Amino acid sequence: MRLGSALTAALAVAATLPLTGTAASATTGATSRLATCQEKALSVHAAPGGQRNVARIDVVNNGGRTCVVDRIPAITFRGLDGSAEAVPPAGSGPYELSPGERAYAAVRTADPAATEGHVVGSLSVAADPSHPGVAFRAAAVGMPEGVHVWIPVTTLWQESRAAADSALADALG
């Protein structure tokens, strides 16, 4: 897995980019004063994404207050260092979730037929890097032969499942 060099390059690019995103993730003074969502107030889900190497993820704020998570979901893979890179490259920033609000993202791993990379039994999703996250077995995300990992990518949180799918398709061409 070449996450080290790819992640370093992505972080270098991200450092030069302004924070952008949906209206819900705008970095206003009010957003920056909101507390990070407590993990116990969130529900994180993962499901097959319609392609053999794509998973859809979402997070719901079940708490009674508006809070923020990082705009980049933290997707890690069992036993491997590093996490999925954001596409397009982006730096950390707040993504606001109102009570009951759901945010969506999509993660793409390697094609199951690929000979490069590693195969792992699960992936973990955290709405914010300060949270340990929730592990999902490969079969639960539509990858019964294991999650094939080679330069995995994830979208930023989006307002709809369609927007997450579109963001992934746009980023990968």
Side-chain angles (χ1 to χ4, degrees):
M1 186 161 90
R2 299 183 321 190
L3 281 180
S5 61
L7 186 55
T8 301
L11 291 173
V13 169
T16 64
L17 297 174
L19 291 177
T20 59
T22 63
S25 65
T27 55
T28 64
T31 299
S32 65
R33 288 190 297 266
L34 289 173
T36 299
C37 298
Q38 292 185 352
E39 189 169 33
K40 66 183 180 184
L42 301 174
S43 295
V44 177
H45 307 96
Q51 296 177 24
R52 297 182 315 163
N53 63 332
V54 174
R56 290 184 174 130
I57 58 175
D58 65 76
V59 61
V60 180
N61 178 359
N62 296 315
R65 298 178 187 198
T66 298
C67 55
V68 296
V69 295
D70 196 286
R71 69 187 188 144
I72 305 169
I75 314 292
T76 57
F77 303 90
R78 184 177 182 176
L80 301 177
D81 291 336
S83 60
E85 300 173 32
V87 289
S92 289
Y95 187 94
E96 187 174 317
L97 286 172
S98 299
E101 186 176 10
R102 183 179 303 259
Y104 303 85
V107 60
R108 189 218 58 198
T109 62
D111 186 293
T115 58
E116 300 172 309
H118 302 277
V119 178
V120 298
S122 64
L123 60 83
S124 293
V125 179
D128 191 86
S130 66
H131 301 160
V134 178
F136 297 93
R137 297 190 56 76
V141 294
M143 303 176 197
E145 301 300 319
V147 179
H148 293 254
V149 183
W150 180 254
I151 311 177
V153 295
T154 184
T155 64
L156 305 178
W157 290 117
Q158 304 290 322
E159 294 179 356
S160 70
R161 180 175 290 135
D165 290 345
S166 179
L168 185 63
D170 290 349
L172 300 175

